[in-house]
Amino acid sequence: MAATTSNDLICFTNCFLPQEDGGLIEKDLWIDERRGVILDAQRTFFLRKERPNTIIDLGGNILSPGFIDIQINGGFGFDFSVYEGDDQTYRDGLKLVAEKIVETGVTSLVPTIITQEKAFYPKLLNLLRPWSPPHAAHLLGWHAEGPFLQMSKRGAHSPALIIPASEGFKTFESIYSPENLAEAEDWLMSGDTLYDTVGVRIITAAPEVEGVMEAINEASKRGICFNIGHSMATTDIATAAVRNGARCITHLFNAMPQLHHRDPSIIGLLGASPYLSPSSSAFLPFPSAIISALNASISSLPITKDPLIDHISEAFDEIKTPPQTPMLLAEQAHKKFLLPTGNEPKKDLTTILFDRPFYEIIVDGIHSHPNSVRLAYSAHPDGCILITDAMKILDPHLKDGVHDWRDGRRFYKEGDKLYIEGTTTLAGSVVTLDKCVRNFVRYTGCSIGQAIVCATYNPARCLNIENKKGTLRAGADADLVVLDHQGDILSTWVKGKMVWARK
C-alpha cells in the first residue's frame, strides 16, 4: 500500500466488483477519501487531470458495498428495545453496536424495537434518528415492529401491549408521535442531521388488524417503508396491502400462516403474476368488513402451544395455526361480503399491474429450512433481503457453552443456536449477516455475487436509498467491505476510511 498524499484519491485495484445484477467483474474502484464517496474514475481523471496517489491491491478479492441489516434487535449486550431512563446510556449502547458490528461487514443498520409501552415510543424513536458515529456503521433510523400485530402471531411481543389502530393513521400518530411520522423531508430536517443524511423509517404491522389497512397508504406517502408481518392475512388482504403501499414482508415464513395451495396467504405474494389475478382484482379496493370478519374468526382458531419453544425470539410463533386457516377464512369472508352482484364493471386484467413486495429472510438454518430459503429465492430473487433479526447477545466472539442471560436464567450456546440451560428449548439465533451471506450461497446454489446483492442492493432499493447505500454507483457513500470468494470478511470501510481489518 502506497502512502497517502494530499491527493485524497484512493484506487482499489486487482479486485472483483459485485454488480447490481449479481455478477462479478474485475475492475478498479476509485473513491475520494476526504468526502467519503465513490467516484466515476474516468470523469474524475479528465476533470482533475490526476490519478490516485494511494493504490490498494486487494489481491483478487471482492470489493463489495457494505452490508445493510434492516432488522436487528440489538447486539454486543445492548437491546434496542430497552430504555432505562437515561438518554446518554442509550446512545452509548447504539454507538457500541455500531462500532462493533462492522466486523461482520455491516456498514448500515436499522435498529428494530419490538412492541413497547405506549409512553416509550416517542422517546425511543426520537433517540433512533439517523446517526453516524465516527469509525462505525451508520444508524439509518428506526424499525417499529408493533404494536399493531395479530395476537395469534405475536411471537415474543407482549400480548398486553398489542392494540388495534381504531382510528387508522391517527392511532399510529398517537402511538409513535406525529413528529416521528412527519413527511420524510420534514422528519430529517427537524433533527440535527446534515443535508445529505440518509434516514429511513420502517413499520411492521398486520394489515388485517383494525385500522391498519387504512393507515398503509398515508404512511407510505410520507416516505415510511411499510412491512407486512406478524399477521394472519389472507392472500387477498396481503395483495390489497401491497396495492395500498406496503413494500416488504417481515421475516418471511415466520409469524405468518404457512403456504396452502388454495390460499397461499402472505407467502404466496412471492409467486404473484405481474398482473392481478381475477380473484385479487375483483376485491379491490378492499372493504373493511372483511378485515373485521377475519379478526372475529381468529379467536375461534384451534390453539396448540409448542412446548419446545420459549419464544424468546420475536419471530417464532407464539401460537401454532393450521396451514389451511387463511383459505378457510377467505372463503367465509367471500361468502359473507364479496359475492358478485352481477353489476360489477368488467376489467381488463392485463392493465392491472402488480409489483411483488420485497421480503426479509433469516438465513440461520433455524428460523427457515434451507429448502424454504431456496424456494423463496427461486420464486422472487429480486425481492430477497437477508436479515439477522439478531438479539442483544449477538457477538461473533461469543464462545459455545453456558452464559448468563437474565432473571437468574442462563442459556447454552451451540453454534448459531441458543437453548435455555438444561433444556432443548430454542432461544433464537445469534447469526451474523456475513454468515447469512455464506449460508445463502450454500442453501440456494447462487453465486457469492448474487448473495451479496441480497445484503446490499436489495435492502437499499426497498428503502429507496440505492443511490447512496448498497451500491458502487458514482456518488454513493464509500461504505465498502472486502471479502474473499468464500464470503469471509477481510476489512470494512465506512465513508472512505478503514474501520476494521482482520488481523
Side-chain angles (χ1 to χ4, degrees):
M1 182 186 301
T4 304
T5 70
S6 57
N7 180 285
D8 290 326
L9 302 184
I10 297 176
C11 172
F12 295 96
T13 191
N14 189 16
C15 56
F16 288 84
L17 307 183
Q19 303 301 288
E20 293 172 2
D21 63 0
L24 289 176
I25 62 170
E26 189 170 7
K27 186 179 179 181
D28 293 353
L29 184 78
W30 289 22
I31 68 170
D32 184 322
E33 182 183 21
R34 180 182 59 83
R35 292 190 295 134
V37 298
I38 296 171
L39 300 173
D40 179 325
Q42 213 171 24
R43 187 169 183 272
T44 302
F45 174 72
F46 284 109
L47 284 176
R48 295 178 56 163
K49 307 296 185 186
E50 58 185 359
R51 295 181 181 277
N53 287 341
T54 301
I55 310 294
I56 300 177
D57 188 328
L58 293 181
N61 288 305
I62 297 169
L63 179 63
S64 165
F67 298 162
I68 305 171
D69 195 347
I70 69 172
Q71 180 148 356
I72 175 171
N73 301 295
F76 309 96
F78 183 72
D79 190 329
F80 298 135
S81 294
V82 176
Y83 175 72
E84 297 178 329
D86 185 271
D87 290 8
Q88 189 57 51
T89 299
Y90 191 86
R91 294 273 288 185
D92 289 345
L94 291 175
K95 184 170 180 285
L96 172 72
V97 176
E99 288 173 342
K100 288 184 172 292
I101 204 166
V102 293
E103 179 181 347
T104 69
V106 172
T107 57
S108 296
L109 65 150
V110 185
T112 302
I113 60 170
I114 65 171
T115 301
Q116 299 287 310
E117 293 277 0
K118 178 180 177 179
F120 282 125
Y121 279 104
K123 169 62 73 175
L124 280 175
L125 299 187
N126 186 62
L127 286 168
L128 289 172
R129 296 186 64 82
W131 183 32
S132 299
H135 312 297
H138 303 283
L139 297 153
L140 293 178
W142 50 260
H143 182 168
E145 192 174 13
F148 309 107
L149 309 178
Q150 180 55 250
M151 187 69 74
S152 64
K153 292 294 179 182
R154 64 184 180 270
H157 295 248
S158 171
L161 302 178
I162 291 174
I163 60 172
S166 303
E167 296 185 80
F169 191 74
K170 287 184 179 179
T171 307
F172 279 65
E173 288 186 312
S174 71
I175 295 296
Y176 300 141
S177 87
E179 294 79 11
N180 292 319
L181 298 183
E183 294 278 354
E185 186 175 350
D186 293 338
W187 171 65
L188 282 172
M189 291 180 66
S190 65
D192 55 356
T193 52
L194 300 175
Y195 75 96
D196 62 344
T197 295
V198 175
V200 302
R201 297 165 292 175
I202 306 172
I203 293 174
T204 291
E208 75 278 12
V209 166
E210 180 187 358
V212 170
M213 186 70 79
E214 290 82 353
I216 294 174
N217 186 254
E218 182 60 32
S220 299
K221 285 193 299 185
R222 297 185 182 207
I224 296 167
C225 179
F226 206 101
N227 284 20
I228 302 170
H230 289 274
S231 169
M232 282 289 295
T234 65
T235 295
D236 296 316
I237 290 178
T239 299
V242 174
R243 290 271 289 167
N244 278 345
R247 287 184 61 81
C248 189
I249 301 170
T250 292
H251 45 57
L252 186 76
F253 298 119
N254 290 276
M256 63 186 63
Q258 297 311 293
L259 192 72
H260 189 279
H261 60 286
R262 292 197 184 95
D263 188 326
S265 186
I266 300 165
I267 299 169
L269 291 175
L270 274 63
S273 165
Y275 308 104
L276 285 181
S277 67
S279 61
S280 296
S281 62
F283 298 161
L284 297 172
F286 208 85
S288 299
I290 189 174
I291 299 176
S292 300
L294 179 61
N295 284 322
S297 304
I298 285 173
S299 60
S300 63
L301 292 175
I303 295 173
T304 56
K305 184 166 181 177
D306 188 338
L308 295 181
I309 298 180
D310 195 47
H311 312 294
I312 298 157
S313 170
E314 62 80 24
F316 287 127
D317 292 345
E318 177 69 17
I319 294 173
K320 299 293 180 180
T321 48
Q324 69 271 23
T325 299
M327 179 272 294
L328 294 176
L329 291 175
E331 184 177 345
Q332 293 165 10
H334 178 220
K335 289 179 178 177
K336 188 168 183 180
F337 298 105
L338 301 172
L339 286 175
T341 64
N343 299 320
E344 294 82 3
K346 292 186 177 180
K347 298 179 181 178
D348 179 1
L349 296 179
T350 62
T351 65
I352 305 174
L353 300 178
F354 182 74
D355 290 328
R356 290 177 292 178
F358 292 90
Y359 59 95
E360 306 170 350
I361 194 160
I362 309 168
V363 192
D364 60 358
I366 301 166
H367 283 81
S368 298
H369 190 279
N371 292 5
S372 299
V373 175
R374 186 168 191 254
L375 190 66
Y377 183 66
S378 298
H380 186 21
D382 291 342
C384 184
I385 296 173
L386 307 186
I387 61 166
T388 62
D389 203 18
M391 298 177 294
K392 74 171 190 175
I393 46 181
L394 171 74
D395 184 343
H397 301 291
L398 194 65
K399 298 184 181 302
D400 286 357
V402 177
H403 300 271
D404 290 330
W405 184 45
R406 66 184 183 197
D407 301 329
R409 290 187 290 176
R410 301 196 298 176
F411 60 80
Y412 180 78
K413 178 181 180 295
E414 182 183 3
D416 292 325
K417 295 181 180 179
L418 293 171
Y419 301 95
I420 302 298
E421 185 185 17
T423 74
T424 57
T425 301
L426 279 171
S429 169
V430 288
V431 72
T432 57
L433 198 54
D434 61 318
K435 186 163 187 180
C436 287
V437 169
R438 294 191 293 272
N439 286 345
F440 195 72
V441 172
R442 292 192 297 114
Y443 294 175
T444 66
C446 74
S447 69
I448 184 68
Q450 291 169 319
I452 287 170
V453 166
C454 298
T456 57
Y457 185 54
N458 285 353
R461 281 196 304 128
C462 178
L463 300 174
N464 289 316
I465 57 173
E466 68 270 27
N467 286 325
K468 296 292 286 184
K469 304 288 185 185
T471 180
L472 298 179
R473 297 176 184 179
D477 291 339
D479 300 338
L480 307 166
V481 58
V482 180
L483 56 158
D484 63 25
H485 288 262
Q486 286 70 50
D488 293 309
I489 307 299
L490 302 178
S491 65
T492 306
W493 299 65
V494 175
K495 293 288 281 185
K497 293 181 172 52
M498 189 167 68
V499 295
W500 182 85
R502 179 181 290 180
K503 295 178 181 178

